[in-house]
């Protein structure tokens, strides 16, 4: 069930299928959990789909079904994105108010929170949600049936080398583009690329757990910084789409000021962390992780030989 390769006991192809089965089975269990709210189910299953996309992207160069599987998991996650977005904007509002708790009168922004909750209730009241949830479950069942047929054209590190390099290179390029023009769109694109690299690092953590842990944590932190920036941008857009519905002009102006101020800090922190996380060229990172992989394999072989002696 764990989102990682057991590369010392399974082939890359076996790991691909095992991790996929684990994520799909957890998605189905969450969808069938009568005690989970619709919001939580959507949030969890969307995360499973993103992990599955990260999984197939790692082997994209040797997996002939990559494009179709990536598209299917993307489309499955998108079906109920509006529900997750409505929940996320409430969380973003609450976090922002809490962050500036000692500088503002929280009650001055209570109307914003109330309006966001009413907006969420309207979305949850839509008649086709049950149908979409049923479709999402059907998509997961169909995906599980396909997994048994997944095959790779390469073995060992060669099966993942191309996907690892491409995702990491895209993260570096997206950072450079965002630095040159730090728009909401470019920062969000950077975040998506970092997130996929984070998935890949998590999948490969066993090649050297102590070293990989720091890399994984840094990628996670960077993705969170950029994710928070994007959530604030969406929050700002929603409020400004109908400002009178969320409060009086002075309150909304003050709220936008808080959003912009926090976004500025997030961007600065993201570039500082990104410069460290993405310092290596793709060829250097792949070479280093390949060495970790091969050393781990030799270690396991030596242990198995010792047990057999």
């Amino acid at each position: 069930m764990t989102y990682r390769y057991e590369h010392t006991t399974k082939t890359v192809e076996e790991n691909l299928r095992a991790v996929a089965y684990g994520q799909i089975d957890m998605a189905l269990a969450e969808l069938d959990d009568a005690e989970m709210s619709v919001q939580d189910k959507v949030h969890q299953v969307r995360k499973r789909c993103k992990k599955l996309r990260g999984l197939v992207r790692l082997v994209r160069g040797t997996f002939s079904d990559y494009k179709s599987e990536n598209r299917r998991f993307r489309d499955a996650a998108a079906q109920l994105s509006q529900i997750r977005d409505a929940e996320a904007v409430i969380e973003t509002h609450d976090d922002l108010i809490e962050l500036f708790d000692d500088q503002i009168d929280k009650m001055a922004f209570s109307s914003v929170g109330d309006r966001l909750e009413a907006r969420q209730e309207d979305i949850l009241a839509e008649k086709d949600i049950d149908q979409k949830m049923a479709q999402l479950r059907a998509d997961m069942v169909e995906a599980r049936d396909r997994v048994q047929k997944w095959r790779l054209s390469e073995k060992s590190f060669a099966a993942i080398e191309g996907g690892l390099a491409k995702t990491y290179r895209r993260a570096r390029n997206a950072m450079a583009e965002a630095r040159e023009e730090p728009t909401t769109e470019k920062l969000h694109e950077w975040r998506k690329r970092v997130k996929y690299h984070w998935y890949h690092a998590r999948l490969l953590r066993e090649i050297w757990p102590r070293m990989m842990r720091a890399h994984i944590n840094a990628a996670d932190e960077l993705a969170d910084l950029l994710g928070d920036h994007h959530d604030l941008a969406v929050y700002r857009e929603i409020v400004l789409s109908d400002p009178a519905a969320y409060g009086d002009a002075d309150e909304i102006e003050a709220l936008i000021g808080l959003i912009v101020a926090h976004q500025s800090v997030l961007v600065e922190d993201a570039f500082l962390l990104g410069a460290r996380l993405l310092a290596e060229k793709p060829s250097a990172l792949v070479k280093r992780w390949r060495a970790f992989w091969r050393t781990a394999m030799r270690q396991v072989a030596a242990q198995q030989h010792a047990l057999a002696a």
Side-chain angles (χ1 to χ4, degrees), residues 265-278:
V265 173
L266 291 169
V267 169
E268 182 178 354
D269 290 347
F271 281 124
L272 288 172
L273 181 55
R276 294 183 175 95
L277 177 70
L278 305 172

Side-chain angles (χ1 to χ4, degrees), residues 7 12 156-157 160 204 207 289-297:
H7 73 283
V12 175
S156 195
F157 196 80
I160 66 172
L204 300 176
I207 60 177
W289 288 17
R290 186 193 301 117
F292 294 170
W293 175 289
R294 290 175 176 173
T295 301
M297 294 299 288

Side-chain angles (χ1 to χ4, degrees), residues 53 57 60 66-67 70 162-178 186 189-197 278 282:
R53 293 183 70 193
R57 280 171 181 257
R60 62 188 300 163
Y66 160 70
K67 287 186 177 180
N70 181 60
L164 174 63
K166 187 165 189 173
T167 297
Y168 179 74
R169 183 181 301 110
R170 284 183 167 180
R172 277 171 52 91
N173 291 343
M175 179 175 67
E177 292 178 9
K186 289 189 181 297
E189 183 65 20
W190 182 24
R191 188 252 183 181
K192 289 190 292 183
R193 301 307 176 187
V194 169
K195 196 82 171 181
Y196 284 124
H197 178 63
L278 305 172

